[in-house]
Amino acid sequence: MPHLTAPADARRTAGGEQLGFGVPGYAHPLLAPAEWAGLARPGTPLHWAVLNIADGPGSRPDPHCLEAAGRLHNARERALHGDSPDDTVRASGGRLLGHLDLAHGERPFEELIADARSFIDWYRIGGFYLARCPTERAGLPAVRRLTGTLHALLAESDSADGGGRLVLGHGTQPYPGYAEAADQLVTFQGPWTDYRWSQVAEWTADYPPERFAHFVHGVPRTHLEEAMRIARWQGAGTIFFTDRDGRSGQSDPFATLPRYWDEIVSRIGPGISE
């Protein structure tokens, strides 16, 4: 049993709140067709998935990525606006997010906005995942400027219903002020050996679970229930757990489906997130 230090308010999430998946970025659709097809499968409780062509949108539209983006966009449309009242259960409702690499605050603002415009124009994305986001207080003003501009761009786009979604990919607990700069924060990204003993920051209890995401690799099948219990206890509403660990010649353990994908989907159950 993990040793967790959580404020009392955070423990309210230890019940039956609906978890969903955030996918930090599969391999290119040409190399990972099963992964991308699985995201649009009816009933998948997908909150969002990240499209990353070449640490961004690439230099021109990619036909394979266009096809994958179209399938996911159509699945979301069916889930949200389908004629049948069961569509919100039978179809996935996840947004497609464009990958923007902030390089811990080192990338110029103009470059990031140019990449964002390409994502919107080519792939009709519904938001952005800001990878390698700064975590310190000093980086917050620049991130606020960026997220404010991105929200404005998404609001002008006809593909981002509800103004789009912005996720800050910190991978660790950031300065609390970042919670007001975006819709969701990734506050853990790392191995199961660290996650099972992790502690939640007390300030996160001031926000609902849909404001936080956890990415954990190396989670054994036999510990899935424990991992989901930790996520709920720590107040995370979005997760990606995998048994992959990057040891078999694969540098990114999150770039492919976990071997127990069908099992974890069935444990969480069908759902949709706006």
Side-chain angles (χ1 to χ4, degrees):
M1 182 69 184
H3 173 71
L4 300 174
T5 302
D9 287 346
R11 294 188 183 118
R12 72 186 186 277
T13 64
E17 288 80 359
Q18 181 73 30
L19 292 173
F21 297 119
V23 178
Y26 283 146
H28 189 280
L30 184 62
L31 302 176
E35 281 77 1
W36 283 98
L39 295 181
R41 193 170 67 183
T44 302
L46 178 69
H47 290 173
W48 45 263
V50 178
L51 180 64
N52 182 14
I53 293 90
D55 287 329
S59 58
R60 62 182 65 85
D62 183 297
H64 301 287
C65 294
L66 286 169
E67 182 180 356
R71 283 199 301 267
L72 199 58
H73 181 77
N74 291 339
R76 178 171 173 80
E77 287 298 306
R78 289 195 303 271
L80 295 177
H81 309 298
D83 294 333
S84 168
D86 294 332
D87 273 356
T88 54
V89 174
R90 291 190 291 103
S92 65
R95 297 176 186 269
L96 184 68
L97 307 183
H99 176 103
L100 297 178
D101 185 358
L102 272 60
H104 306 295
E106 296 299 318
R107 285 197 67 199
F109 175 83
E110 293 75 14
E111 283 186 12
L112 292 165
I113 296 303
D115 280 356
R117 291 184 185 278
S118 294
F119 267 123
I120 292 173
D121 293 345
W122 298 343
Y123 301 108
R124 301 185 65 204
I125 49 87
F128 293 99
Y129 179 80
L130 279 58
R132 295 201 292 171
C133 185
T135 60
E136 301 299 326
R137 183 174 184 174
L140 181 55
V143 171
R144 279 180 172 161
R145 179 193 179 199
L146 176 62
T147 57
T149 304
L150 293 176
H151 268 308
L153 291 175
L154 290 165
E156 296 170 359
S157 168
D158 61 358
S159 64
D161 52 290
R165 188 166 191 79
L166 300 181
V167 179
L168 302 184
H170 302 288
T172 189
Q173 301 281 348
Y175 175 72
Y178 283 94
E180 304 302 325
D183 301 293
Q184 192 174 56
L185 313 181
V186 179
T187 53
F188 185 94
Q189 180 169 340
W192 166 243
T193 50
D194 291 343
Y195 188 62
R196 67 183 311 192
W197 304 108
S198 61
Q199 298 182 11
V200 65
E202 291 190 8
W203 64 264
T204 62
D206 295 333
Y207 298 90
E210 60 263 27
R211 301 298 306 278
F212 302 103
H214 293 171
F215 300 152
V216 189
H217 61 79
V219 181
R221 179 190 300 271
T222 52
H223 289 277
L224 270 179
E225 199 62 45
E226 181 184 356
M228 287 189 286
R229 187 166 59 248
I230 293 171
R232 291 188 177 100
W233 181 269
Q234 295 200 9
T238 301
I239 61 169
F240 191 81
F241 295 157
T242 179
D243 53 346
R244 313 286 181 174
D245 56 16
R247 294 179 182 175
S248 301
Q250 185 179 333
S251 58
D252 183 0
F254 299 112
T256 188
L257 285 170
R259 296 174 183 88
Y260 44 61
W261 174 251
D262 289 341
E263 179 178 343
I264 193 172
V265 167
S266 67
R267 287 192 185 206
I268 291 177
I272 180 170
S273 173
E274 297 257 15

